[in-house]
Amino acid sequence: MAHAAAGPPSTVAPLVAIGTGAVVALALGIYASAHTPTGHAITTLGFSSMIAMKVWLAIVAGVLALGQLVGGLWMYGRLGRPAPAWVGPAHRSAGFLAVLVSLPVAYHCLWALGFGTADARTIAHSVLGCVFYGAFVVKVFSVHGRTEPKWLLPSAAVTMLVSLAIVVSTSALWYLTAVGTP
C-alpha cells in the first residue's frame, strides 16, 4: 500500500484527530459513570491484590512516561546535543510499554471502581485518566498522519504526559504516601 505524499498542513486533520480523541475520552468517562462498579478484580497479574497491581503498574507507566519526556526532548533537540539513532526506537518502545502497562490499571478503574466523585482528587484522577486515552488517540493520528500541523504531535504528547503525571500522582503516589506499600 502506497502512502500519500505529505502535503500542506490540513485544517481538517487536527479537527478529526482532536474530535476522535474527545469522543474516546467522553466515552470512557460516560461508561465509568454509567457502569455499576463490581468492586472486584478480573485479574491481579500475579500481584497480591488489585490495588497492589494498580499501584505498581501505574508507577511503571509513570517512569516510562518520564523516559518518553527525555526521549522526546532529545529528539526535538532540546537537550543540547543531537539524539543518537537509538533514541527514536527507545522513545517509541517506552511509549508503547507505558500505554500497554496502563491498560490493566485503566480497565480495573473503569470496571471495578467506576468514575470517582468522592473528592477533588478522585474527580481529577477520573477525568484525567479519560483525557490520557483521548490524547493517546490524538497522538496516534498525529504520528501516522501526513498533513497534520507541526503543533499537533507535541501538544498531544504534552497532554498525555501531564494527564498521566496527575493520574499517577492522584492514585499510586497518593496511595503510597497516604496508605503505604500495598
Side-chain angles (χ1 to χ4, degrees):
M1 180 168 114
H3 291 289
S10 167
T11 56
V12 174
L15 294 176
V16 169
I18 293 166
T20 305
V23 167
V24 166
L26 284 171
L28 291 171
I30 290 168
Y31 174 79
S33 296
H35 168 72
T36 302
T38 66
H40 303 289
I42 298 296
T43 182
T44 61
L45 299 176
F47 289 91
S48 60
S49 67
M50 177 179 63
I51 294 299
M53 175 192 66
K54 287 170 47 78
V55 166
W56 295 118
L57 291 182
I59 294 292
V60 169
V63 169
L64 288 166
L66 289 175
Q68 278 273 278
L69 173 63
V70 171
L73 289 173
W74 208 351
M75 288 187 313
Y76 276 87
R78 302 290 191 244
L79 297 183
R81 296 173 20 173
W86 60 265
V87 172
H91 178 77
R92 285 187 295 281
S93 296
F96 174 78
L97 287 173
V99 172
L100 184 66
V101 165
S102 76
L103 289 174
V105 179
Y107 178 80
H108 281 85
C109 285
L110 293 167
W111 177 257
L113 303 175
F115 196 93
T117 58
D119 54 29
R121 178 187 65 81
T122 57
I123 292 170
H125 176 81
S126 296
V127 168
L128 290 169
C130 297
V131 166
F132 172 77
Y133 289 101
F136 170 71
V137 169
V138 175
K139 189 173 179 193
V140 168
F141 268 85
S142 64
V143 165
H144 294 291
R146 299 273 186 226
T147 61
E148 282 73 5
K150 290 182 180 184
W151 57 264
L152 188 60
L153 177 61
S155 298
V158 167
T159 302
M160 284 184 72
L161 180 67
V162 170
S163 61
L164 185 61
I166 295 170
V167 166
V168 171
S169 297
T170 57
S171 61
L173 294 178
W174 172 85
Y175 191 92
L176 290 171
T177 58
V179 179
T181 305

